[in-house]
mmCIF file with all atom_site columns, all heavy atoms in Angstrom:
data_model
loop_
_atom_site.group_PDB
_atom_site.id
_atom_site.type_symbol
_atom_site.label_atom_id
_atom_site.label_alt_id
_atom_site.label_comp_id
_atom_site.label_asym_id
_atom_site.label_entity_id
_atom_site.label_seq_id
_atom_site.pdbx_PDB_ins_code
_atom_site.Cartn_x
_atom_site.Cartn_y
_atom_site.Cartn_z
_atom_site.occupancy
_atom_site.B_iso_or_equiv
_atom_site.pdbx_formal_charge
_atom_site.auth_seq_id
_atom_site.auth_comp_id
_atom_site.auth_asym_id
_atom_site.auth_atom_id
_atom_site.pdbx_PDB_model_num
ATOM 1   N N   . THR V 1 1  ? 49.147 -50.680 -7.931  1.00 0.00 ? 1  THR V N   1
ATOM 2   C CA  . THR V 1 1  ? 49.031 -50.555 -6.449  1.00 0.00 ? 1  THR V CA  1
ATOM 3   C C   . THR V 1 1  ? 50.439 -50.639 -5.724  1.00 0.00 ? 1  THR V C   1
ATOM 4   O O   . THR V 1 1  ? 50.483 -50.227 -4.533  1.00 0.00 ? 1  THR V O   1
ATOM 5   C CB  . THR V 1 1  ? 48.154 -51.639 -5.936  1.00 0.00 ? 1  THR V CB  1
ATOM 6   O OG1 . THR V 1 1  ? 48.683 -52.936 -6.233  1.00 0.00 ? 1  THR V OG1 1
ATOM 7   C CG2 . THR V 1 1  ? 46.786 -51.574 -6.562  1.00 0.00 ? 1  THR V CG2 1
ATOM 8   N N   . TYR V 1 2  ? 51.422 -51.223 -6.355  1.00 0.00 ? 2  TYR V N   1
ATOM 9   C CA  . TYR V 1 2  ? 52.680 -51.370 -5.734  1.00 0.00 ? 2  TYR V CA  1
ATOM 10  C C   . TYR V 1 2  ? 53.744 -50.870 -6.763  1.00 0.00 ? 2  TYR V C   1
ATOM 11  O O   . TYR V 1 2  ? 53.862 -51.476 -7.893  1.00 0.00 ? 2  TYR V O   1
ATOM 12  C CB  . TYR V 1 2  ? 53.054 -52.742 -5.281  1.00 0.00 ? 2  TYR V CB  1
ATOM 13  C CG  . TYR V 1 2  ? 54.153 -52.854 -4.206  1.00 0.00 ? 2  TYR V CG  1
ATOM 14  C CD1 . TYR V 1 2  ? 53.936 -52.814 -2.858  1.00 0.00 ? 2  TYR V CD1 1
ATOM 15  C CD2 . TYR V 1 2  ? 55.430 -52.699 -4.637  1.00 0.00 ? 2  TYR V CD2 1
ATOM 16  C CE1 . TYR V 1 2  ? 54.965 -52.869 -1.971  1.00 0.00 ? 2  TYR V CE1 1
ATOM 17  C CE2 . TYR V 1 2  ? 56.560 -52.606 -3.790  1.00 0.00 ? 2  TYR V CE2 1
ATOM 18  C CZ  . TYR V 1 2  ? 56.322 -52.738 -2.386  1.00 0.00 ? 2  TYR V CZ  1
ATOM 19  O OH  . TYR V 1 2  ? 57.309 -52.708 -1.456  1.00 0.00 ? 2  TYR V OH  1
ATOM 20  N N   . PHE V 1 3  ? 54.485 -49.806 -6.438  1.00 0.00 ? 3  PHE V N   1
ATOM 21  C CA  . PHE V 1 3  ? 55.454 -49.206 -7.363  1.00 0.00 ? 3  PHE V CA  1
ATOM 22  C C   . PHE V 1 3  ? 56.839 -49.403 -6.928  1.00 0.00 ? 3  PHE V C   1
ATOM 23  O O   . PHE V 1 3  ? 57.266 -48.861 -5.851  1.00 0.00 ? 3  PHE V O   1
ATOM 24  C CB  . PHE V 1 3  ? 55.188 -47.690 -7.424  1.00 0.00 ? 3  PHE V CB  1
ATOM 25  C CG  . PHE V 1 3  ? 56.037 -46.909 -8.411  1.00 0.00 ? 3  PHE V CG  1
ATOM 26  C CD1 . PHE V 1 3  ? 55.545 -46.562 -9.625  1.00 0.00 ? 3  PHE V CD1 1
ATOM 27  C CD2 . PHE V 1 3  ? 57.187 -46.406 -7.978  1.00 0.00 ? 3  PHE V CD2 1
ATOM 28  C CE1 . PHE V 1 3  ? 56.295 -45.870 -10.521 1.00 0.00 ? 3  PHE V CE1 1
ATOM 29  C CE2 . PHE V 1 3  ? 58.118 -45.781 -8.920  1.00 0.00 ? 3  PHE V CE2 1
ATOM 30  C CZ  . PHE V 1 3  ? 57.639 -45.352 -10.212 1.00 0.00 ? 3  PHE V CZ  1
ATOM 31  N N   . GLY V 1 4  ? 57.628 -50.270 -7.565  1.00 0.00 ? 4  GLY V N   1
ATOM 32  C CA  . GLY V 1 4  ? 59.000 -50.558 -7.222  1.00 0.00 ? 4  GLY V CA  1
ATOM 33  C C   . GLY V 1 4  ? 59.949 -49.945 -8.150  1.00 0.00 ? 4  GLY V C   1
ATOM 34  O O   . GLY V 1 4  ? 59.783 -49.885 -9.345  1.00 0.00 ? 4  GLY V O   1
ATOM 35  N N   . THR V 1 5  ? 61.067 -49.394 -7.555  1.00 0.00 ? 5  THR V N   1
ATOM 36  C CA  . THR V 1 5  ? 62.083 -48.807 -8.386  1.00 0.00 ? 5  THR V CA  1
ATOM 37  C C   . THR V 1 5  ? 63.382 -48.808 -7.671  1.00 0.00 ? 5  THR V C   1
ATOM 38  O O   . THR V 1 5  ? 63.594 -49.566 -6.685  1.00 0.00 ? 5  THR V O   1
ATOM 39  C CB  . THR V 1 5  ? 61.694 -47.368 -8.704  1.00 0.00 ? 5  THR V CB  1
ATOM 40  O OG1 . THR V 1 5  ? 62.618 -46.755 -9.628  1.00 0.00 ? 5  THR V OG1 1
ATOM 41  C CG2 . THR V 1 5  ? 61.550 -46.584 -7.427  1.00 0.00 ? 5  THR V CG2 1
ATOM 42  N N   . SER V 1 6  ? 64.354 -48.098 -8.070  1.00 0.00 ? 6  SER V N   1
ATOM 43  C CA  . SER V 1 6  ? 65.686 -48.028 -7.369  1.00 0.00 ? 6  SER V CA  1
ATOM 44  C C   . SER V 1 6  ? 65.763 -46.673 -6.629  1.00 0.00 ? 6  SER V C   1
ATOM 45  O O   . SER V 1 6  ? 65.068 -45.721 -6.901  1.00 0.00 ? 6  SER V O   1
ATOM 46  C CB  . SER V 1 6  ? 66.769 -47.969 -8.419  1.00 0.00 ? 6  SER V CB  1
ATOM 47  O OG  . SER V 1 6  ? 66.740 -46.795 -9.220  1.00 0.00 ? 6  SER V OG  1
ATOM 48  N N   . ALA V 1 7  ? 66.655 -46.769 -5.625  1.00 0.00 ? 7  ALA V N   1
ATOM 49  C CA  . ALA V 1 7  ? 66.919 -45.568 -4.753  1.00 0.00 ? 7  ALA V CA  1
ATOM 50  C C   . ALA V 1 7  ? 67.383 -44.412 -5.554  1.00 0.00 ? 7  ALA V C   1
ATOM 51  O O   . ALA V 1 7  ? 66.886 -43.241 -5.320  1.00 0.00 ? 7  ALA V O   1
ATOM 52  C CB  . ALA V 1 7  ? 67.759 -45.910 -3.655  1.00 0.00 ? 7  ALA V CB  1
ATOM 53  N N   . PRO V 1 8  ? 68.335 -44.587 -6.558  1.00 0.00 ? 8  PRO V N   1
ATOM 54  C CA  . PRO V 1 8  ? 68.781 -43.581 -7.352  1.00 0.00 ? 8  PRO V CA  1
ATOM 55  C C   . PRO V 1 8  ? 67.692 -42.875 -8.147  1.00 0.00 ? 8  PRO V C   1
ATOM 56  O O   . PRO V 1 8  ? 67.710 -41.609 -8.346  1.00 0.00 ? 8  PRO V O   1
ATOM 57  C CB  . PRO V 1 8  ? 69.782 -44.177 -8.265  1.00 0.00 ? 8  PRO V CB  1
ATOM 58  C CG  . PRO V 1 8  ? 70.375 -45.303 -7.455  1.00 0.00 ? 8  PRO V CG  1
ATOM 59  C CD  . PRO V 1 8  ? 69.144 -45.836 -6.729  1.00 0.00 ? 8  PRO V CD  1
ATOM 60  N N   . PHE V 1 9  ? 66.647 -43.589 -8.628  1.00 0.00 ? 9  PHE V N   1
ATOM 61  C CA  . PHE V 1 9  ? 65.543 -42.974 -9.278  1.00 0.00 ? 9  PHE V CA  1
ATOM 62  C C   . PHE V 1 9  ? 64.724 -42.086 -8.404  1.00 0.00 ? 9  PHE V C   1
ATOM 63  O O   . PHE V 1 9  ? 64.423 -40.994 -8.697  1.00 0.00 ? 9  PHE V O   1
ATOM 64  C CB  . PHE V 1 9  ? 64.660 -44.058 -9.856  1.00 0.00 ? 9  PHE V CB  1
ATOM 65  C CG  . PHE V 1 9  ? 63.461 -43.533 -10.559 1.00 0.00 ? 9  PHE V CG  1
ATOM 66  C CD1 . PHE V 1 9  ? 63.445 -42.902 -11.823 1.00 0.00 ? 9  PHE V CD1 1
ATOM 67  C CD2 . PHE V 1 9  ? 62.149 -43.448 -9.915  1.00 0.00 ? 9  PHE V CD2 1
ATOM 68  C CE1 . PHE V 1 9  ? 62.365 -42.346 -12.496 1.00 0.00 ? 9  PHE V CE1 1
ATOM 69  C CE2 . PHE V 1 9  ? 61.046 -42.980 -10.460 1.00 0.00 ? 9  PHE V CE2 1
ATOM 70  C CZ  . PHE V 1 9  ? 61.137 -42.451 -11.879 1.00 0.00 ? 9  PHE V CZ  1
ATOM 71  N N   . LEU V 1 10 ? 64.456 -42.491 -7.144  1.00 0.00 ? 10 LEU V N   1
ATOM 72  C CA  . LEU V 1 10 ? 63.732 -41.774 -6.250  1.00 0.00 ? 10 LEU V CA  1
ATOM 73  C C   . LEU V 1 10 ? 64.455 -40.462 -5.919  1.00 0.00 ? 10 LEU V C   1
ATOM 74  O O   . LEU V 1 10 ? 63.839 -39.368 -5.810  1.00 0.00 ? 10 LEU V O   1
ATOM 75  C CB  . LEU V 1 10 ? 63.375 -42.494 -4.940  1.00 0.00 ? 10 LEU V CB  1
ATOM 76  C CG  . LEU V 1 10 ? 62.508 -43.723 -5.088  1.00 0.00 ? 10 LEU V CG  1
ATOM 77  C CD1 . LEU V 1 10 ? 62.344 -44.499 -3.838  1.00 0.00 ? 10 LEU V CD1 1
ATOM 78  C CD2 . LEU V 1 10 ? 61.052 -43.377 -5.605  1.00 0.00 ? 10 LEU V CD2 1
ATOM 79  N N   . LEU V 1 11 ? 65.750 -40.586 -5.709  1.00 0.00 ? 11 LEU V N   1
ATOM 80  C CA  . LEU V 1 11 ? 66.534 -39.442 -5.390  1.00 0.00 ? 11 LEU V CA  1
ATOM 81  C C   . LEU V 1 11 ? 66.699 -38.504 -6.522  1.00 0.00 ? 11 LEU V C   1
ATOM 82  O O   . LEU V 1 11 ? 66.677 -37.225 -6.371  1.00 0.00 ? 11 LEU V O   1
ATOM 83  C CB  . LEU V 1 11 ? 67.896 -39.909 -4.975  1.00 0.00 ? 11 LEU V CB  1
ATOM 84  C CG  . LEU V 1 11 ? 68.047 -40.601 -3.607  1.00 0.00 ? 11 LEU V CG  1
ATOM 85  C CD1 . LEU V 1 11 ? 69.365 -41.143 -3.347  1.00 0.00 ? 11 LEU V CD1 1
ATOM 86  C CD2 . LEU V 1 11 ? 67.511 -39.777 -2.463  1.00 0.00 ? 11 LEU V CD2 1
ATOM 87  N N   . ALA V 1 12 ? 66.628 -38.999 -7.738  1.00 0.00 ? 12 ALA V N   1
ATOM 88  C CA  . ALA V 1 12 ? 66.710 -38.108 -8.971  1.00 0.00 ? 12 ALA V CA  1
ATOM 89  C C   . ALA V 1 12 ? 65.346 -37.303 -8.936  1.00 0.00 ? 12 ALA V C   1
ATOM 90  O O   . ALA V 1 12 ? 65.399 -36.117 -9.382  1.00 0.00 ? 12 ALA V O   1
ATOM 91  C CB  . ALA V 1 12 ? 66.878 -38.946 -10.226 1.00 0.00 ? 12 ALA V CB  1
ATOM 92  N N   . CYS V 1 13 ? 64.259 -37.950 -8.723  1.00 0.00 ? 13 CYS V N   1
ATOM 93  C CA  . CYS V 1 13 ? 62.930 -37.306 -8.759  1.00 0.00 ? 13 CYS V CA  1
ATOM 94  C C   . CYS V 1 13 ? 62.966 -36.141 -7.617  1.00 0.00 ? 13 CYS V C   1
ATOM 95  O O   . CYS V 1 13 ? 62.480 -35.063 -8.007  1.00 0.00 ? 13 CYS V O   1
ATOM 96  C CB  . CYS V 1 13 ? 61.866 -38.258 -8.514  1.00 0.00 ? 13 CYS V CB  1
ATOM 97  S SG  . CYS V 1 13 ? 61.483 -39.411 -9.799  1.00 0.00 ? 13 CYS V SG  1
ATOM 98  N N   . ARG V 1 14 ? 63.511 -36.503 -6.539  1.00 0.00 ? 14 ARG V N   1
ATOM 99  C CA  . ARG V 1 14 ? 63.604 -35.501 -5.434  1.00 0.00 ? 14 ARG V CA  1
ATOM 100 C C   . ARG V 1 14 ? 64.437 -34.280 -5.908  1.00 0.00 ? 14 ARG V C   1
ATOM 101 O O   . ARG V 1 14 ? 64.037 -33.181 -5.756  1.00 0.00 ? 14 ARG V O   1
ATOM 102 C CB  . ARG V 1 14 ? 64.129 -36.134 -4.187  1.00 0.00 ? 14 ARG V CB  1
ATOM 103 C CG  . ARG V 1 14 ? 64.441 -35.180 -3.097  1.00 0.00 ? 14 ARG V CG  1
ATOM 104 C CD  . ARG V 1 14 ? 65.182 -35.875 -1.793  1.00 0.00 ? 14 ARG V CD  1
ATOM 105 N NE  . ARG V 1 14 ? 65.460 -34.876 -0.828  1.00 0.00 ? 14 ARG V NE  1
ATOM 106 C CZ  . ARG V 1 14 ? 66.674 -34.260 -0.796  1.00 0.00 ? 14 ARG V CZ  1
ATOM 107 N NH1 . ARG V 1 14 ? 67.561 -34.610 -1.716  1.00 0.00 ? 14 ARG V NH1 1
ATOM 108 N NH2 . ARG V 1 14 ? 66.923 -33.495 0.176   1.00 0.00 ? 14 ARG V NH2 1
ATOM 109 N N   . LYS V 1 15 ? 65.533 -34.637 -6.487  1.00 0.00 ? 15 LYS V N   1
ATOM 110 C CA  . LYS V 1 15 ? 66.560 -33.503 -6.851  1.00 0.00 ? 15 LYS V CA  1
ATOM 111 C C   . LYS V 1 15 ? 65.899 -32.689 -7.934  1.00 0.00 ? 15 LYS V C   1
ATOM 112 O O   . LYS V 1 15 ? 66.230 -31.399 -8.063  1.00 0.00 ? 15 LYS V O   1
ATOM 113 C CB  . LYS V 1 15 ? 67.792 -34.169 -7.279  1.00 0.00 ? 15 LYS V CB  1
ATOM 114 C CG  . LYS V 1 15 ? 68.961 -33.153 -7.298  1.00 0.00 ? 15 LYS V CG  1
ATOM 115 C CD  . LYS V 1 15 ? 70.234 -33.911 -7.395  1.00 0.00 ? 15 LYS V CD  1
ATOM 116 C CE  . LYS V 1 15 ? 71.446 -32.885 -7.167  1.00 0.00 ? 15 LYS V CE  1
ATOM 117 N NZ  . LYS V 1 15 ? 72.705 -33.566 -7.128  1.00 0.00 ? 15 LYS V NZ  1
ATOM 118 N N   . ASP V 1 16 ? 65.094 -33.277 -8.792  1.00 0.00 ? 16 ASP V N   1
ATOM 119 C CA  . ASP V 1 16 ? 64.483 -32.522 -9.850  1.00 0.00 ? 16 ASP V CA  1
ATOM 120 C C   . ASP V 1 16 ? 63.205 -31.689 -9.399  1.00 0.00 ? 16 ASP V C   1
ATOM 121 O O   . ASP V 1 16 ? 62.632 -31.000 -10.203 1.00 0.00 ? 16 ASP V O   1
ATOM 122 C CB  . ASP V 1 16 ? 64.010 -33.538 -10.947 1.00 0.00 ? 16 ASP V CB  1
ATOM 123 C CG  . ASP V 1 16 ? 63.694 -32.873 -12.321 1.00 0.00 ? 16 ASP V CG  1
ATOM 124 O OD1 . ASP V 1 16 ? 64.652 -32.205 -12.785 1.00 0.00 ? 16 ASP V OD1 1
ATOM 125 O OD2 . ASP V 1 16 ? 62.688 -33.147 -12.834 1.00 0.00 ? 16 ASP V OD2 1
ATOM 126 N N   . GLY V 1 17 ? 62.893 -31.860 -8.061  1.00 0.00 ? 17 GLY V N   1
ATOM 127 C CA  . GLY V 1 17 ? 61.696 -31.094 -7.553  1.00 0.00 ? 17 GLY V CA  1
ATOM 128 C C   . GLY V 1 17 ? 60.329 -31.688 -7.975  1.00 0.00 ? 17 GLY V C   1
ATOM 129 O O   . GLY V 1 17 ? 59.291 -31.019 -7.904  1.00 0.00 ? 17 GLY V O   1
ATOM 130 N N   . LEU V 1 18 ? 60.374 -32.962 -8.420  1.00 0.00 ? 18 LEU V N   1
ATOM 131 C CA  . LEU V 1 18 ? 59.149 -33.605 -8.867  1.00 0.00 ? 18 LEU V CA  1
ATOM 132 C C   . LEU V 1 18 ? 58.230 -33.854 -7.749  1.00 0.00 ? 18 LEU V C   1
ATOM 133 O O   . LEU V 1 18 ? 58.585 -34.251 -6.639  1.00 0.00 ? 18 LEU V O   1
ATOM 134 C CB  . LEU V 1 18 ? 59.514 -34.919 -9.638  1.00 0.00 ? 18 LEU V CB  1
ATOM 135 C CG  . LEU V 1 18 ? 58.362 -35.539 -10.389 1.00 0.00 ? 18 LEU V CG  1
ATOM 136 C CD1 . LEU V 1 18 ? 57.927 -34.749 -11.483 1.00 0.00 ? 18 LEU V CD1 1
ATOM 137 C CD2 . LEU V 1 18 ? 58.804 -36.988 -10.798 1.00 0.00 ? 18 LEU V CD2 1
ATOM 138 N N   . VAL V 1 19 ? 56.899 -33.617 -7.874  1.00 0.00 ? 19 VAL V N   1
ATOM 139 C CA  . VAL V 1 19 ? 55.814 -34.020 -6.900  1.00 0.00 ? 19 VAL V CA  1
ATOM 140 C C   . VAL V 1 19 ? 54.908 -34.851 -7.628  1.00 0.00 ? 19 VAL V C   1
ATOM 141 O O   . VAL V 1 19 ? 53.919 -34.446 -8.307  1.00 0.00 ? 19 VAL V O   1
ATOM 142 C CB  . VAL V 1 19 ? 55.125 -32.782 -6.349  1.00 0.00 ? 19 VAL V CB  1
ATOM 143 C CG1 . VAL V 1 19 ? 54.116 -33.212 -5.362  1.00 0.00 ? 19 VAL V CG1 1
ATOM 144 C CG2 . VAL V 1 19 ? 56.243 -31.848 -5.771  1.00 0.00 ? 19 VAL V CG2 1
ATOM 145 N N   . PRO V 1 20 ? 55.128 -36.298 -7.612  1.00 0.00 ? 20 PRO V N   1
ATOM 146 C CA  . PRO V 1 20 ? 54.356 -37.193 -8.453  1.00 0.00 ? 20 PRO V CA  1
ATOM 147 C C   . PRO V 1 20 ? 52.830 -37.102 -8.201  1.00 0.00 ? 20 PRO V C   1
ATOM 148 O O   . PRO V 1 20 ? 52.063 -37.161 -9.123  1.00 0.00 ? 20 PRO V O   1
ATOM 149 C CB  . PRO V 1 20 ? 54.893 -38.492 -8.020  1.00 0.00 ? 20 PRO V CB  1
ATOM 150 C CG  . PRO V 1 20 ? 56.270 -38.306 -7.669  1.00 0.00 ? 20 PRO V CG  1
ATOM 151 C CD  . PRO V 1 20 ? 56.207 -37.047 -7.034  1.00 0.00 ? 20 PRO V CD  1
ATOM 152 N N   . ARG V 1 21 ? 52.445 -36.859 -6.924  1.00 0.00 ? 21 ARG V N   1
ATOM 153 C CA  . ARG V 1 21 ? 50.994 -36.848 -6.602  1.00 0.00 ? 21 ARG V CA  1
ATOM 154 C C   . ARG V 1 21 ? 50.325 -35.663 -7.261  1.00 0.00 ? 21 ARG V C   1
ATOM 155 O O   . ARG V 1 21 ? 49.031 -35.554 -7.375  1.00 0.00 ? 21 ARG V O   1
ATOM 156 C CB  . ARG V 1 21 ? 50.834 -36.802 -5.067  1.00 0.00 ? 21 ARG V CB  1
ATOM 157 C CG  . ARG V 1 21 ? 51.386 -35.696 -4.327  1.00 0.00 ? 21 ARG V CG  1
ATOM 158 C CD  . ARG V 1 21 ? 51.178 -35.708 -2.867  1.00 0.00 ? 21 ARG V CD  1
ATOM 159 N NE  . ARG V 1 21 ? 51.902 -34.813 -2.122  1.00 0.00 ? 21 ARG V NE  1
ATOM 160 C CZ  . ARG V 1 21 ? 51.705 -33.466 -1.996  1.00 0.00 ? 21 ARG V CZ  1
ATOM 161 N NH1 . ARG V 1 21 ? 50.645 -33.005 -2.732  1.00 0.00 ? 21 ARG V NH1 1
ATOM 162 N NH2 . ARG V 1 21 ? 52.414 -32.648 -1.350  1.00 0.00 ? 21 ARG V NH2 1
ATOM 163 N N   . GLU V 1 22 ? 51.145 -34.701 -7.732  1.00 0.00 ? 22 GLU V N   1
ATOM 164 C CA  . GLU V 1 22 ? 50.522 -33.451 -8.421  1.00 0.00 ? 22 GLU V CA  1
ATOM 165 C C   . GLU V 1 22 ? 50.423 -33.665 -9.916  1.00 0.00 ? 22 GLU V C   1
ATOM 166 O O   . GLU V 1 22 ? 49.647 -32.966 -10.603 1.00 0.00 ? 22 GLU V O   1
ATOM 167 C CB  . GLU V 1 22 ? 51.351 -32.253 -8.106  1.00 0.00 ? 22 GLU V CB  1
ATOM 168 C CG  . GLU V 1 22 ? 51.281 -31.819 -6.620  1.00 0.00 ? 22 GLU V CG  1
ATOM 169 C CD  . GLU V 1 22 ? 52.124 -30.565 -6.363  1.00 0.00 ? 22 GLU V CD  1
ATOM 170 O OE1 . GLU V 1 22 ? 52.741 -30.036 -7.312  1.00 0.00 ? 22 GLU V OE1 1
ATOM 171 O OE2 . GLU V 1 22 ? 52.081 -30.107 -5.226  1.00 0.00 ? 22 GLU V OE2 1
ATOM 172 N N   . ILE V 1 23 ? 51.060 -34.614 -10.437 1.00 0.00 ? 23 ILE V N   1
ATOM 173 C CA  . ILE V 1 23 ? 51.104 -34.777 -11.905 1.00 0.00 ? 23 ILE V CA  1
ATOM 174 C C   . ILE V 1 23 ? 50.360 -36.055 -12.323 1.00 0.00 ? 23 ILE V C   1
ATOM 175 O O   . ILE V 1 23 ? 50.144 -36.300 -13.484 1.00 0.00 ? 23 ILE V O   1
ATOM 176 C CB  . ILE V 1 23 ? 52.481 -34.859 -12.502 1.00 0.00 ? 23 ILE V CB  1
ATOM 177 C CG1 . ILE V 1 23 ? 53.333 -36.058 -12.012 1.00 0.00 ? 23 ILE V CG1 1
ATOM 178 C CG2 . ILE V 1 23 ? 53.229 -33.514 -12.143 1.00 0.00 ? 23 ILE V CG2 1
ATOM 179 C CD1 . ILE V 1 23 ? 54.507 -36.308 -12.825 1.00 0.00 ? 23 ILE V CD1 1
ATOM 180 N N   . ALA V 1 24 ? 50.046 -36.977 -11.309 1.00 0.00 ? 24 ALA V N   1
ATOM 181 C CA  . ALA V 1 24 ? 49.350 -38.226 -11.652 1.00 0.00 ? 24 ALA V CA  1
ATOM 182 C C   . ALA V 1 24 ? 48.438 -38.679 -10.581 1.00 0.00 ? 24 ALA V C   1
ATOM 183 O O   . ALA V 1 24 ? 48.616 -38.349 -9.398  1.00 0.00 ? 24 ALA V O   1
ATOM 184 C CB  . ALA V 1 24 ? 50.446 -39.383 -11.921 1.00 0.00 ? 24 ALA V CB  1
ATOM 185 N N   . ASP V 1 25 ? 47.356 -39.370 -10.930 1.00 0.00 ? 25 ASP V N   1
ATOM 186 C CA  . ASP V 1 25 ? 46.467 -39.796 -10.016 1.00 0.00 ? 25 ASP V CA  1
ATOM 187 C C   . ASP V 1 25 ? 46.976 -41.122 -9.377  1.00 0.00 ? 25 ASP V C   1
ATOM 188 O O   . ASP V 1 25 ? 46.943 -42.147 -10.014 1.00 0.00 ? 25 ASP V O   1
ATOM 189 C CB  . ASP V 1 25 ? 45.077 -40.054 -10.664 1.00 0.00 ? 25 ASP V CB  1
ATOM 190 C CG  . ASP V 1 25 ? 43.983 -40.688 -9.734  1.00 0.00 ? 25 ASP V CG  1
ATOM 191 O OD1 . ASP V 1 25 ? 44.356 -40.745 -8.477  1.00 0.00 ? 25 ASP V OD1 1
ATOM 192 O OD2 . ASP V 1 25 ? 42.963 -41.052 -10.190 1.00 0.00 ? 25 ASP V OD2 1
ATOM 193 N N   . LEU V 1 26 ? 47.486 -41.079 -8.142  1.00 0.00 ? 26 LEU V N   1
ATOM 194 C CA  . LEU V 1 26 ? 48.171 -42.199 -7.526  1.00 0.00 ? 26 LEU V CA  1
ATOM 195 C C   . LEU V 1 26 ? 47.227 -42.738 -6.438  1.00 0.00 ? 26 LEU V C   1
ATOM 196 O O   . LEU V 1 26 ? 47.778 -43.377 -5.486  1.00 0.00 ? 26 LEU V O   1
ATOM 197 C CB  . LEU V 1 26 ? 49.495 -41.857 -6.912  1.00 0.00 ? 26 LEU V CB  1
ATOM 198 C CG  . LEU V 1 26 ? 50.523 -41.307 -7.985  1.00 0.00 ? 26 LEU V CG  1
ATOM 199 C CD1 . LEU V 1 26 ? 51.763 -40.902 -7.291  1.00 0.00 ? 26 LEU V CD1 1
ATOM 200 C CD2 . LEU V 1 26 ? 50.782 -42.337 -9.037  1.00 0.00 ? 26 LEU V CD2 1
ATOM 201 N N   . SER V 1 27 ? 45.975 -42.552 -6.623  1.00 0.00 ? 27 SER V N   1
ATOM 202 C CA  . SER V 1 27 ? 44.971 -42.985 -5.519  1.00 0.00 ? 27 SER V CA  1
ATOM 203 C C   . SER V 1 27 ? 44.992 -44.580 -5.340  1.00 0.00 ? 27 SER V C   1
ATOM 204 O O   . SER V 1 27 ? 44.700 -45.012 -4.267  1.00 0.00 ? 27 SER V O   1
ATOM 205 C CB  . SER V 1 27 ? 43.657 -42.561 -5.875  1.00 0.00 ? 27 SER V CB  1
ATOM 206 O OG  . SER V 1 27 ? 43.206 -42.975 -7.046  1.00 0.00 ? 27 SER V OG  1
ATOM 207 N N   . ALA V 1 28 ? 45.381 -45.257 -6.358  1.00 0.00 ? 28 ALA V N   1
ATOM 208 C CA  . ALA V 1 28 ? 45.432 -46.783 -6.151  1.00 0.00 ? 28 ALA V CA  1
ATOM 209 C C   . ALA V 1 28 ? 46.634 -47.161 -5.504  1.00 0.00 ? 28 ALA V C   1
ATOM 210 O O   . ALA V 1 28 ? 46.815 -48.408 -5.045  1.00 0.00 ? 28 ALA V O   1
ATOM 211 C CB  . ALA V 1 28 ? 45.348 -47.349 -7.636  1.00 0.00 ? 28 ALA V CB  1
ATOM 212 N N   . LEU V 1 29 ? 47.649 -46.379 -5.444  1.00 0.00 ? 29 LEU V N   1
ATOM 213 C CA  . LEU V 1 29 ? 48.953 -46.697 -4.908  1.00 0.00 ? 29 LEU V CA  1
ATOM 214 C C   . LEU V 1 29 ? 48.980 -46.940 -3.392  1.00 0.00 ? 29 LEU V C   1
ATOM 215 O O   . LEU V 1 29 ? 48.591 -45.946 -2.686  1.00 0.00 ? 29 LEU V O   1
ATOM 216 C CB  . LEU V 1 29 ? 50.042 -45.730 -5.269  1.00 0.00 ? 29 LEU V CB  1
ATOM 217 C CG  . LEU V 1 29 ? 51.462 -46.123 -5.064  1.00 0.00 ? 29 LEU V CG  1
ATOM 218 C CD1 . LEU V 1 29 ? 51.889 -47.255 -5.937  1.00 0.00 ? 29 LEU V CD1 1
ATOM 219 C CD2 . LEU V 1 29 ? 52.381 -44.889 -5.403  1.00 0.00 ? 29 LEU V CD2 1
ATOM 220 N N   . ARG V 1 30 ? 49.414 -48.102 -2.928  1.00 0.00 ? 30 ARG V N   1
ATOM 221 C CA  . ARG V 1 30 ? 49.495 -48.284 -1.519  1.00 0.00 ? 30 ARG V CA  1
ATOM 222 C C   . ARG V 1 30 ? 50.805 -48.837 -1.014  1.00 0.00 ? 30 ARG V C   1
ATOM 223 O O   . ARG V 1 30 ? 51.142 -48.811 0.258   1.00 0.00 ? 30 ARG V O   1
ATOM 224 C CB  . ARG V 1 30 ? 48.361 -49.258 -0.970  1.00 0.00 ? 30 ARG V CB  1
ATOM 225 C CG  . ARG V 1 30 ? 48.395 -50.632 -1.592  1.00 0.00 ? 30 ARG V CG  1
ATOM 226 C CD  . ARG V 1 30 ? 47.182 -51.462 -1.242  1.00 0.00 ? 30 ARG V CD  1
ATOM 227 N NE  . ARG V 1 30 ? 47.288 -52.817 -1.583  1.00 0.00 ? 30 ARG V NE  1
ATOM 228 C CZ  . ARG V 1 30 ? 47.976 -53.879 -0.959  1.00 0.00 ? 30 ARG V CZ  1
ATOM 229 N NH1 . ARG V 1 30 ? 48.515 -53.485 0.203   1.00 0.00 ? 30 ARG V NH1 1
ATOM 230 N NH2 . ARG V 1 30 ? 48.082 -55.050 -1.333  1.00 0.00 ? 30 ARG V NH2 1
ATOM 231 N N   . GLY V 1 31 ? 51.752 -49.072 -1.938  1.00 0.00 ? 31 GLY V N   1
ATOM 232 C CA  . GLY V 1 31 ? 53.138 -49.585 -1.626  1.00 0.00 ? 31 GLY V CA  1
ATOM 233 C C   . GLY V 1 31 ? 54.057 -48.945 -2.486  1.00 0.00 ? 31 GLY V C   1
ATOM 234 O O   . GLY V 1 31 ? 53.907 -48.926 -3.727  1.00 0.00 ? 31 GLY V O   1
#
C-alpha cells in the first residue's frame, strides 16, 4: 500500500519509458 524508493530509481524508470500501472496491478497502492 506504500511504495518507498529513491529519486534516482523513479527517474530511471521514467527514462526507460516504464509505465508500472500497465505491467502490474497497483490497485492497493495509495502512497
Side-chain angles (χ1 to χ4, degrees):
T1 60
Y2 198 101
F3 182 97
T5 185
S6 66
F9 176 78
L10 295 176
L11 293 173
C13 290
R14 172 184 176 270
K15 197 163 190 175
D16 199 51
L18 188 69
V19 183
R21 58 180 171 78
E22 293 182 355
I23 65 166
D25 177 6
L26 301 178
S27 56
L29 191 65
R30 59 187 188 85

